[in-house]
Amino acid sequence: MSLTAQLDTIRSAMPGCVLAAYGDSNAKLVLRSSADRPWPQERLDDLCKTASRTLDLFDRLSPKRRQPGHLREAVVARGNDVRIYVGAPAGDLLCCVCRAGADTQQAAQTVRAALAKLMGQDQ
Amino acid sequence: MSKILRLRITRPHMQTSRLMARLQAFAARTEEKCPADGLTAVLRRIDTTILPRALTITTEAGDSLRLLVSNRRLMRVEHVGQPMSVGDAPADPGEAAEQFAARLEPVLRDAKLASIGTTRYHSDAMFWDVGCGAGRLASTMGVLTQEPSKQPANGDLERLLSEHAMARAEVTTTGQVLSRVANPEAEAVLTDLLSWANDQVAAAPALAGAREECICLPISDAHDAVILQRHDGYTLAVLSTTLRDRIIGAWQARLPGARLH
């Protein structure tokens, strides 16, 4: 299954998810995305930069969880959406943007599982 | 109290491009969503414009304002046809918001119909300006942020924090710690959160608290470090992960009715 198709699957598995994006937190670029409407690339890259910065904060607050293979995670709510960022130590990053009211624990679990699967395919 | 200002999207006067067409299409969709509140549409435009753009708002009476926007910040407001005063560059986002609101309000107060056009714009001088975000401008103009119905939601958030937080601190955008309470097991995390807040203030004092966000970071299987970032400061807390969605819900409920993405 292509990466884009996997992102489509992730989005359809999460109620209210309007965007699923795969990026590289080192390069701070979104490489593939699936969305209910087009997102300009600069907004996607801005999303990736914000995710990367937020996950750096996760590292700062959770040094004990920064173990090999452990995924970094953050949930950020804004006015009308909730963003779930999950990052792998190597820099792989999944960002999902959901409408307000999302079950963030369930959503984060879905994103974690999806990223773990993507990483497994990489290896 | 929100102001009513109907907007008509006009074609850009020059430099039409695919990107511009996308921006126009996006703006048109935005208008469809909130056709009755043009000011909200302007604020939303500010909050979604990353590359330097000049938004020209023209009222039916013929008044014309040019808003220079870049990186989701309003950098300048010019009354077209009137000379800009020299030496009045705002020192911080609060001062910028007050200055911009003072220029916008007289023109938009009684306007019932206006058009808005977008053109590319670039000026090195803009990068030296502090500017302000759409949220702060809305607050300063007294629109969208004074909904009495939202007050109980603030109460919900406060109640959740006061009853359930294992640790909590209030910090201003200048780095002043207004209050700090922590259980021994959450003390270290709160110290790290305070250190982070201080770094934000030190790195970019003018931007501290610029964007309203609720950041939840799972520091263990059972607990989140929570940062509630407001225009006027930060609430830092440690809470059970099971409360995350309630905190987010209460946080979002207290925000203005018109969401500024």
PDB file of all heavy atoms in Angstrom, chain B residues 68-105:
ATOM      1  N   LEU B  68      -1.160  45.272   5.845  1.00  0.00           N
ATOM      2  CA  LEU B  68       0.022  44.503   5.443  1.00  0.00           C
ATOM      3  C   LEU B  68       0.164  43.326   6.404  1.00  0.00           C
ATOM      4  O   LEU B  68       0.285  43.520   7.620  1.00  0.00           O
ATOM      5  CB  LEU B  68       1.268  45.385   5.480  1.00  0.00           C
ATOM      6  CG  LEU B  68       1.175  46.661   4.636  1.00  0.00           C
ATOM      7  CD1 LEU B  68       2.504  47.402   4.650  1.00  0.00           C
ATOM      8  CD2 LEU B  68       0.753  46.352   3.213  1.00  0.00           C
ATOM      9  N   VAL B  69       0.108  42.148   5.823  1.00  0.00           N
ATOM     10  CA  VAL B  69       0.053  40.927   6.629  1.00  0.00           C
ATOM     11  C   VAL B  69       1.172  39.989   6.209  1.00  0.00           C
ATOM     12  O   VAL B  69       1.451  39.835   5.018  1.00  0.00           O
ATOM     13  CB  VAL B  69      -1.314  40.223   6.441  1.00  0.00           C
ATOM     14  CG1 VAL B  69      -1.405  38.981   7.308  1.00  0.00           C
ATOM     15  CG2 VAL B  69      -2.456  41.168   6.766  1.00  0.00           C
ATOM     16  N   SER B  70       1.790  39.382   7.168  1.00  0.00           N
ATOM     17  CA  SER B  70       2.844  38.412   6.877  1.00  0.00           C
ATOM     18  C   SER B  70       2.988  37.468   8.056  1.00  0.00           C
ATOM     19  O   SER B  70       2.901  37.900   9.213  1.00  0.00           O
ATOM     20  CB  SER B  70       4.175  39.142   6.636  1.00  0.00           C
ATOM     21  OG  SER B  70       5.208  38.218   6.390  1.00  0.00           O
ATOM     22  N   ASN B  71       3.205  36.198   7.752  1.00  0.00           N
ATOM     23  CA  ASN B  71       3.467  35.212   8.796  1.00  0.00           C
ATOM     24  C   ASN B  71       2.388  35.223   9.874  1.00  0.00           C
ATOM     25  O   ASN B  71       2.664  35.147  11.054  1.00  0.00           O
ATOM     26  CB  ASN B  71       4.840  35.464   9.427  1.00  0.00           C
ATOM     27  CG  ASN B  71       5.391  34.239  10.083  1.00  0.00           C
ATOM     28  OD1 ASN B  71       4.994  33.120   9.740  1.00  0.00           O
ATOM     29  ND2 ASN B  71       6.272  34.424  11.046  1.00  0.00           N
ATOM     30  N   ARG B  72       1.138  35.319   9.405  1.00  0.00           N
ATOM     31  CA  ARG B  72      -0.033  35.284  10.284  1.00  0.00           C
ATOM     32  C   ARG B  72      -0.071  36.463  11.257  1.00  0.00           C
ATOM     33  O   ARG B  72      -0.645  36.365  12.336  1.00  0.00           O
ATOM     34  CB  ARG B  72      -0.099  33.972  11.081  1.00  0.00           C
ATOM     35  CG  ARG B  72      -0.327  32.744  10.225  1.00  0.00           C
ATOM     36  CD  ARG B  72      -0.843  31.598  11.072  1.00  0.00           C
ATOM     37  NE  ARG B  72      -1.202  30.484  10.237  1.00  0.00           N
ATOM     38  CZ  ARG B  72      -0.458  29.411  10.065  1.00  0.00           C
ATOM     39  NH1 ARG B  72       0.690  29.315  10.683  1.00  0.00           N
ATOM     40  NH2 ARG B  72      -0.858  28.436   9.299  1.00  0.00           N
ATOM     41  N   ARG B  73       0.605  37.529  10.912  1.00  0.00           N
ATOM     42  CA  ARG B  73       0.577  38.714  11.783  1.00  0.00           C
ATOM     43  C   ARG B  73       0.244  39.942  10.959  1.00  0.00           C
ATOM     44  O   ARG B  73       0.687  40.077   9.816  1.00  0.00           O
ATOM     45  CB  ARG B  73       1.939  38.903  12.478  1.00  0.00           C
ATOM     46  CG  ARG B  73       2.270  37.775  13.435  1.00  0.00           C
ATOM     47  CD  ARG B  73       3.592  37.999  14.110  1.00  0.00           C
ATOM     48  NE  ARG B  73       3.555  39.024  15.136  1.00  0.00           N
ATOM     49  CZ  ARG B  73       3.016  38.866  16.326  1.00  0.00           C
ATOM     50  NH1 ARG B  73       2.430  37.728  16.635  1.00  0.00           N
ATOM     51  NH2 ARG B  73       3.035  39.831  17.212  1.00  0.00           N
ATOM     52  N   LEU B  74      -0.528  40.806  11.549  1.00  0.00           N
ATOM     53  CA  LEU B  74      -0.819  42.094  10.934  1.00  0.00           C
ATOM     54  C   LEU B  74       0.336  43.020  11.289  1.00  0.00           C
ATOM     55  O   LEU B  74       0.606  43.277  12.466  1.00  0.00           O
ATOM     56  CB  LEU B  74      -2.148  42.642  11.475  1.00  0.00           C
ATOM     57  CG  LEU B  74      -2.555  44.029  10.991  1.00  0.00           C
ATOM     58  CD1 LEU B  74      -2.659  44.079   9.480  1.00  0.00           C
ATOM     59  CD2 LEU B  74      -3.882  44.441  11.628  1.00  0.00           C
ATOM     60  N   MET B  75       1.033  43.486  10.257  1.00  0.00           N
ATOM     61  CA  MET B  75       2.238  44.272  10.500  1.00  0.00           C
ATOM     62  C   MET B  75       1.974  45.779  10.455  1.00  0.00           C
ATOM     63  O   MET B  75       2.596  46.543  11.173  1.00  0.00           O
ATOM     64  CB  MET B  75       3.323  43.929   9.468  1.00  0.00           C
ATOM     65  CG  MET B  75       3.573  42.432   9.313  1.00  0.00           C
ATOM     66  SD  MET B  75       3.941  41.594  10.856  1.00  0.00           S
ATOM     67  CE  MET B  75       5.642  42.039  11.078  1.00  0.00           C
ATOM     68  N   ARG B  76       1.066  46.162   9.571  1.00  0.00           N
ATOM     69  CA  ARG B  76       0.779  47.598   9.452  1.00  0.00           C
ATOM     70  C   ARG B  76      -0.645  47.793   8.963  1.00  0.00           C
ATOM     71  O   ARG B  76      -1.183  46.941   8.255  1.00  0.00           O
ATOM     72  CB  ARG B  76       1.725  48.275   8.456  1.00  0.00           C
ATOM     73  CG  ARG B  76       3.115  48.476   8.985  1.00  0.00           C
ATOM     74  CD  ARG B  76       3.946  49.277   8.015  1.00  0.00           C
ATOM     75  NE  ARG B  76       5.343  49.239   8.427  1.00  0.00           N
ATOM     76  CZ  ARG B  76       6.324  49.799   7.744  1.00  0.00           C
ATOM     77  NH1 ARG B  76       6.073  50.431   6.625  1.00  0.00           N
ATOM     78  NH2 ARG B  76       7.563  49.732   8.177  1.00  0.00           N
ATOM     79  N   VAL B  77      -1.216  48.919   9.320  1.00  0.00           N
ATOM     80  CA  VAL B  77      -2.513  49.322   8.763  1.00  0.00           C
ATOM     81  C   VAL B  77      -2.331  50.738   8.224  1.00  0.00           C
ATOM     82  O   VAL B  77      -1.893  51.633   8.945  1.00  0.00           O
ATOM     83  CB  VAL B  77      -3.621  49.318   9.839  1.00  0.00           C
ATOM     84  CG1 VAL B  77      -4.922  49.854   9.255  1.00  0.00           C
ATOM     85  CG2 VAL B  77      -3.830  47.914  10.386  1.00  0.00           C
ATOM     86  N   GLU B  78      -2.647  50.888   6.956  1.00  0.00           N
ATOM     87  CA  GLU B  78      -2.521  52.208   6.338  1.00  0.00           C
ATOM     88  C   GLU B  78      -3.880  52.650   5.822  1.00  0.00           C
ATOM     89  O   GLU B  78      -4.629  51.847   5.242  1.00  0.00           O
ATOM     90  CB  GLU B  78      -1.540  52.151   5.160  1.00  0.00           C
ATOM     91  CG  GLU B  78      -0.139  51.740   5.564  1.00  0.00           C
ATOM     92  CD  GLU B  78       0.771  51.471   4.362  1.00  0.00           C
ATOM     93  OE1 GLU B  78       0.282  51.569   3.216  1.00  0.00           O
ATOM     94  OE2 GLU B  78       1.941  51.150   4.585  1.00  0.00           O
ATOM     95  N   HIS B  79      -4.192  53.897   6.054  1.00  0.00           N
ATOM     96  CA  HIS B  79      -5.402  54.482   5.489  1.00  0.00           C
ATOM     97  C   HIS B  79      -5.001  55.013   4.118  1.00  0.00           C
ATOM     98  O   HIS B  79      -4.250  55.972   4.020  1.00  0.00           O
ATOM     99  CB  HIS B  79      -5.901  55.611   6.399  1.00  0.00           C
ATOM    100  CG  HIS B  79      -7.334  55.915   6.195  1.00  0.00           C
ATOM    101  ND1 HIS B  79      -8.158  56.347   7.200  1.00  0.00           N
ATOM    102  CD2 HIS B  79      -8.124  55.836   5.106  1.00  0.00           C
ATOM    103  CE1 HIS B  79      -9.370  56.532   6.727  1.00  0.00           C
ATOM    104  NE2 HIS B  79      -9.376  56.227   5.463  1.00  0.00           N
ATOM    105  N   VAL B  80      -5.484  54.348   3.058  1.00  0.00           N
ATOM    106  CA  VAL B  80      -5.038  54.697   1.705  1.00  0.00           C
ATOM    107  C   VAL B  80      -5.396  56.152   1.401  1.00  0.00           C
ATOM    108  O   VAL B  80      -6.520  56.593   1.644  1.00  0.00           O
ATOM    109  CB  VAL B  80      -5.679  53.758   0.660  1.00  0.00           C
ATOM    110  CG1 VAL B  80      -5.280  54.162  -0.751  1.00  0.00           C
ATOM    111  CG2 VAL B  80      -5.266  52.321   0.940  1.00  0.00           C
ATOM    112  N   GLY B  81      -4.400  56.880   0.914  1.00  0.00           N
ATOM    113  CA  GLY B  81      -4.639  58.280   0.567  1.00  0.00           C
ATOM    114  C   GLY B  81      -4.269  59.238   1.666  1.00  0.00           C
ATOM    115  O   GLY B  81      -4.279  60.455   1.475  1.00  0.00           O
ATOM    116  N   GLN B  82      -3.949  58.700   2.849  1.00  0.00           N
ATOM    117  CA  GLN B  82      -3.535  59.574   3.939  1.00  0.00           C
ATOM    118  C   GLN B  82      -2.092  59.259   4.310  1.00  0.00           C
ATOM    119  O   GLN B  82      -1.708  58.087   4.340  1.00  0.00           O
ATOM    120  CB  GLN B  82      -4.423  59.373   5.173  1.00  0.00           C
ATOM    121  CG  GLN B  82      -5.846  59.850   4.953  1.00  0.00           C
ATOM    122  CD  GLN B  82      -6.669  59.752   6.224  1.00  0.00           C
ATOM    123  OE1 GLN B  82      -6.142  59.468   7.290  1.00  0.00           O
ATOM    124  NE2 GLN B  82      -7.954  59.993   6.101  1.00  0.00           N
ATOM    125  N   PRO B  83      -1.297  60.276   4.588  1.00  0.00           N
ATOM    126  CA  PRO B  83       0.108  60.008   4.901  1.00  0.00           C
ATOM    127  C   PRO B  83       0.245  59.276   6.231  1.00  0.00           C
ATOM    128  O   PRO B  83      -0.527  59.518   7.161  1.00  0.00           O
ATOM    129  CB  PRO B  83       0.725  61.415   4.987  1.00  0.00           C
ATOM    130  CG  PRO B  83      -0.436  62.308   5.268  1.00  0.00           C
ATOM    131  CD  PRO B  83      -1.638  61.690   4.637  1.00  0.00           C
ATOM    132  N   MET B  84       1.213  58.367   6.263  1.00  0.00           N
ATOM    133  CA  MET B  84       1.500  57.647   7.507  1.00  0.00           C
ATOM    134  C   MET B  84       2.272  58.567   8.444  1.00  0.00           C
ATOM    135  O   MET B  84       3.160  59.302   8.014  1.00  0.00           O
ATOM    136  CB  MET B  84       2.368  56.420   7.221  1.00  0.00           C
ATOM    137  CG  MET B  84       1.605  55.245   6.655  1.00  0.00           C
ATOM    138  SD  MET B  84       0.675  54.376   7.913  1.00  0.00           S
ATOM    139  CE  MET B  84       1.987  53.638   8.841  1.00  0.00           C
ATOM    140  N   SER B  85       1.925  58.549   9.714  1.00  0.00           N
ATOM    141  CA  SER B  85       2.709  59.329  10.662  1.00  0.00           C
ATOM    142  C   SER B  85       4.045  58.625  10.881  1.00  0.00           C
ATOM    143  O   SER B  85       4.139  57.410  10.839  1.00  0.00           O
ATOM    144  CB  SER B  85       1.959  59.479  11.978  1.00  0.00           C
ATOM    145  OG  SER B  85       1.586  58.221  12.462  1.00  0.00           O
ATOM    146  N   VAL B  86       5.065  59.392  11.101  1.00  0.00           N
ATOM    147  CA  VAL B  86       6.420  58.841  11.240  1.00  0.00           C
ATOM    148  C   VAL B  86       6.771  58.721  12.721  1.00  0.00           C
ATOM    149  O   VAL B  86       6.348  59.541  13.537  1.00  0.00           O
ATOM    150  CB  VAL B  86       7.437  59.754  10.527  1.00  0.00           C
ATOM    151  CG1 VAL B  86       8.850  59.225  10.682  1.00  0.00           C
ATOM    152  CG2 VAL B  86       7.066  59.870   9.053  1.00  0.00           C
ATOM    153  N   GLY B  87       7.526  57.698  13.056  1.00  0.00           N
ATOM    154  CA  GLY B  87       8.024  57.562  14.419  1.00  0.00           C
ATOM    155  C   GLY B  87       7.023  56.980  15.389  1.00  0.00           C
ATOM    156  O   GLY B  87       7.153  57.150  16.588  1.00  0.00           O
ATOM    157  N   ASP B  88       6.012  56.292  14.882  1.00  0.00           N
ATOM    158  CA  ASP B  88       5.018  55.732  15.793  1.00  0.00           C
ATOM    159  C   ASP B  88       5.023  54.205  15.751  1.00  0.00           C
ATOM    160  O   ASP B  88       4.011  53.576  15.953  1.00  0.00           O
ATOM    161  CB  ASP B  88       3.628  56.274  15.466  1.00  0.00           C
ATOM    162  CG  ASP B  88       3.198  55.918  14.046  1.00  0.00           C
ATOM    163  OD1 ASP B  88       4.058  55.440  13.293  1.00  0.00           O
ATOM    164  OD2 ASP B  88       2.023  56.101  13.714  1.00  0.00           O
ATOM    165  N   ALA B  89       6.162  53.611  15.460  1.00  0.00           N
ATOM    166  CA  ALA B  89       6.245  52.153  15.405  1.00  0.00           C
ATOM    167  C   ALA B  89       5.956  51.569  16.777  1.00  0.00           C
ATOM    168  O   ALA B  89       6.568  51.970  17.769  1.00  0.00           O
ATOM    169  CB  ALA B  89       7.630  51.733  14.939  1.00  0.00           C
ATOM    170  N   PRO B  90       4.997  50.652  16.857  1.00  0.00           N
ATOM    171  CA  PRO B  90       4.646  50.082  18.161  1.00  0.00           C
ATOM    172  C   PRO B  90       5.787  49.256  18.747  1.00  0.00           C
ATOM    173  O   PRO B  90       6.540  48.610  18.022  1.00  0.00           O
ATOM    174  CB  PRO B  90       3.430  49.206  17.842  1.00  0.00           C
ATOM    175  CG  PRO B  90       3.481  48.974  16.381  1.00  0.00           C
ATOM    176  CD  PRO B  90       4.180  50.137  15.770  1.00  0.00           C
ATOM    177  N   ALA B  91       5.878  49.271  20.073  1.00  0.00           N
ATOM    178  CA  ALA B  91       6.991  48.600  20.744  1.00  0.00           C
ATOM    179  C   ALA B  91       6.681  47.138  21.032  1.00  0.00           C
ATOM    180  O   ALA B  91       7.587  46.326  21.181  1.00  0.00           O
ATOM    181  CB  ALA B  91       7.315  49.328  22.050  1.00  0.00           C
ATOM    182  N   ASP B  92       5.411  46.784  21.146  1.00  0.00           N
ATOM    183  CA  ASP B  92       5.049  45.398  21.460  1.00  0.00           C
ATOM    184  C   ASP B  92       3.702  45.076  20.809  1.00  0.00           C
ATOM    185  O   ASP B  92       2.999  45.980  20.333  1.00  0.00           O
ATOM    186  CB  ASP B  92       5.006  45.184  22.977  1.00  0.00           C
ATOM    187  CG  ASP B  92       4.026  46.123  23.653  1.00  0.00           C
ATOM    188  OD1 ASP B  92       2.841  46.083  23.328  1.00  0.00           O
ATOM    189  OD2 ASP B  92       4.469  46.922  24.508  1.00  0.00           O
ATOM    190  N   PRO B  93       3.313  43.789  20.791  1.00  0.00           N
ATOM    191  CA  PRO B  93       2.067  43.414  20.114  1.00  0.00           C
ATOM    192  C   PRO B  93       0.836  44.116  20.684  1.00  0.00           C
ATOM    193  O   PRO B  93      -0.090  44.449  19.943  1.00  0.00           O
ATOM    194  CB  PRO B  93       1.993  41.898  20.336  1.00  0.00           C
ATOM    195  CG  PRO B  93       3.403  41.483  20.498  1.00  0.00           C
ATOM    196  CD  PRO B  93       4.075  42.596  21.223  1.00  0.00           C
ATOM    197  N   GLY B  94       0.832  44.351  22.002  1.00  0.00           N
ATOM    198  CA  GLY B  94      -0.313  45.036  22.607  1.00  0.00           C
ATOM    199  C   GLY B  94      -0.463  46.450  22.073  1.00  0.00           C
ATOM    200  O   GLY B  94      -1.563  46.884  21.720  1.00  0.00           O
ATOM    201  N   GLU B  95       0.671  47.138  21.995  1.00  0.00           N
ATOM    202  CA  GLU B  95       0.650  48.512  21.487  1.00  0.00           C
ATOM    203  C   GLU B  95       0.281  48.509  19.999  1.00  0.00           C
ATOM    204  O   GLU B  95      -0.464  49.376  19.536  1.00  0.00           O
ATOM    205  CB  GLU B  95       2.022  49.148  21.701  1.00  0.00           C
ATOM    206  CG  GLU B  95       2.024  50.658  21.586  1.00  0.00           C
ATOM    207  CD  GLU B  95       3.429  51.209  21.863  1.00  0.00           C
ATOM    208  OE1 GLU B  95       4.037  50.782  22.868  1.00  0.00           O
ATOM    209  OE2 GLU B  95       3.901  52.040  21.079  1.00  0.00           O
ATOM    210  N   ALA B  96       0.796  47.508  19.272  1.00  0.00           N
ATOM    211  CA  ALA B  96       0.474  47.406  17.843  1.00  0.00           C
ATOM    212  C   ALA B  96      -1.023  47.194  17.658  1.00  0.00           C
ATOM    213  O   ALA B  96      -1.660  47.844  16.818  1.00  0.00           O
ATOM    214  CB  ALA B  96       1.253  46.248  17.218  1.00  0.00           C
ATOM    215  N   ALA B  97      -1.596  46.294  18.464  1.00  0.00           N
ATOM    216  CA  ALA B  97      -3.025  46.006  18.340  1.00  0.00           C
ATOM    217  C   ALA B  97      -3.849  47.265  18.618  1.00  0.00           C
ATOM    218  O   ALA B  97      -4.829  47.541  17.917  1.00  0.00           O
ATOM    219  CB  ALA B  97      -3.413  44.880  19.299  1.00  0.00           C
ATOM    220  N   GLU B  98      -3.457  48.034  19.630  1.00  0.00           N
ATOM    221  CA  GLU B  98      -4.195  49.261  19.949  1.00  0.00           C
ATOM    222  C   GLU B  98      -4.099  50.268  18.806  1.00  0.00           C
ATOM    223  O   GLU B  98      -5.085  50.909  18.436  1.00  0.00           O
ATOM    224  CB  GLU B  98      -3.642  49.870  21.244  1.00  0.00           C
ATOM    225  CG  GLU B  98      -4.074  49.106  22.484  1.00  0.00           C
ATOM    226  CD  GLU B  98      -3.431  49.649  23.744  1.00  0.00           C
ATOM    227  OE1 GLU B  98      -2.898  50.767  23.691  1.00  0.00           O
ATOM    228  OE2 GLU B  98      -3.470  48.942  24.766  1.00  0.00           O
ATOM    229  N   GLN B  99      -2.890  50.366  18.245  1.00  0.00           N
ATOM    230  CA  GLN B  99      -2.690  51.318  17.150  1.00  0.00           C
ATOM    231  C   GLN B  99      -3.505  50.907  15.915  1.00  0.00           C
ATOM    232  O   GLN B  99      -4.179  51.732  15.296  1.00  0.00           O
ATOM    233  CB  GLN B  99      -1.198  51.349  16.809  1.00  0.00           C
ATOM    234  CG  GLN B  99      -0.799  52.495  15.919  1.00  0.00           C
ATOM    235  CD  GLN B  99       0.698  52.438  15.642  1.00  0.00           C
ATOM    236  OE1 GLN B  99       1.116  51.930  14.612  1.00  0.00           O
ATOM    237  NE2 GLN B  99       1.501  52.959  16.562  1.00  0.00           N
ATOM    238  N   PHE B 100      -3.479  49.600  15.599  1.00  0.00           N
ATOM    239  CA  PHE B 100      -4.210  49.124  14.425  1.00  0.00           C
ATOM    240  C   PHE B 100      -5.720  49.265  14.643  1.00  0.00           C
ATOM    241  O   PHE B 100      -6.451  49.645  13.736  1.00  0.00           O
ATOM    242  CB  PHE B 100      -3.868  47.659  14.123  1.00  0.00           C
ATOM    243  CG  PHE B 100      -2.404  47.428  13.813  1.00  0.00           C
ATOM    244  CD1 PHE B 100      -1.825  46.183  13.978  1.00  0.00           C
ATOM    245  CD2 PHE B 100      -1.606  48.470  13.343  1.00  0.00           C
ATOM    246  CE1 PHE B 100      -0.487  45.976  13.694  1.00  0.00           C
ATOM    247  CE2 PHE B 100      -0.258  48.275  13.057  1.00  0.00           C
ATOM    248  CZ  PHE B 100       0.301  47.023  13.238  1.00  0.00           C
ATOM    249  N   ALA B 101      -6.171  48.915  15.841  1.00  0.00           N
ATOM    250  CA  ALA B 101      -7.611  49.016  16.134  1.00  0.00           C
ATOM    251  C   ALA B 101      -8.082  50.458  15.985  1.00  0.00           C
ATOM    252  O   ALA B 101      -9.165  50.720  15.460  1.00  0.00           O
ATOM    253  CB  ALA B 101      -7.881  48.503  17.550  1.00  0.00           C
ATOM    254  N   ALA B 102      -7.246  51.392  16.434  1.00  0.00           N
ATOM    255  CA  ALA B 102      -7.618  52.806  16.340  1.00  0.00           C
ATOM    256  C   ALA B 102      -7.755  53.247  14.886  1.00  0.00           C
ATOM    257  O   ALA B 102      -8.548  54.132  14.571  1.00  0.00           O
ATOM    258  CB  ALA B 102      -6.578  53.663  17.058  1.00  0.00           C
ATOM    259  N   ARG B 103      -6.980  52.620  13.992  1.00  0.00           N
ATOM    260  CA  ARG B 103      -7.087  52.978  12.573  1.00  0.00           C
ATOM    261  C   ARG B 103      -8.250  52.256  11.896  1.00  0.00           C
ATOM    262  O   ARG B 103      -8.869  52.777  10.982  1.00  0.00           O
ATOM    263  CB  ARG B 103      -5.780  52.634  11.855  1.00  0.00           C
ATOM    264  CG  ARG B 103      -4.669  53.592  12.199  1.00  0.00           C
ATOM    265  CD  ARG B 103      -3.368  53.219  11.544  1.00  0.00           C
ATOM    266  NE  ARG B 103      -2.291  54.034  12.081  1.00  0.00           N
ATOM    267  CZ  ARG B 103      -1.025  53.699  12.071  1.00  0.00           C
ATOM    268  NH1 ARG B 103      -0.662  52.554  11.551  1.00  0.00           N
ATOM    269  NH2 ARG B 103      -0.108  54.495  12.585  1.00  0.00           N
ATOM    270  N   LEU B 104      -8.517  51.038  12.328  1.00  0.00           N
ATOM    271  CA  LEU B 104      -9.557  50.239  11.679  1.00  0.00           C
ATOM    272  C   LEU B 104     -10.965  50.679  12.097  1.00  0.00           C
ATOM    273  O   LEU B 104     -11.865  50.770  11.262  1.00  0.00           O
ATOM    274  CB  LEU B 104      -9.378  48.752  12.029  1.00  0.00           C
ATOM    275  CG  LEU B 104      -8.196  48.026  11.378  1.00  0.00           C
ATOM    276  CD1 LEU B 104      -7.944  46.693  12.064  1.00  0.00           C
ATOM    277  CD2 LEU B 104      -8.475  47.804   9.899  1.00  0.00           C
ATOM    278  N   GLU B 105     -11.126  50.955  13.369  1.00  0.00           N
ATOM    279  CA  GLU B 105     -12.487  51.178  13.885  1.00  0.00           C
ATOM    280  C   GLU B 105     -13.214  52.353  13.238  1.00  0.00           C
ATOM    281  O   GLU B 105     -14.384  52.211  12.861  1.00  0.00           O
ATOM    282  CB  GLU B 105     -12.442  51.326  15.410  1.00  0.00           C
ATOM    283  CG  GLU B 105     -12.422  49.980  16.095  1.00  0.00           C
ATOM    284  CD  GLU B 105     -12.426  50.070  17.604  1.00  0.00           C
ATOM    285  OE1 GLU B 105     -11.850  51.033  18.157  1.00  0.00           O
ATOM    286  OE2 GLU B 105     -13.016  49.162  18.213  1.00  0.00           O
TER     287      GLU B 105
END
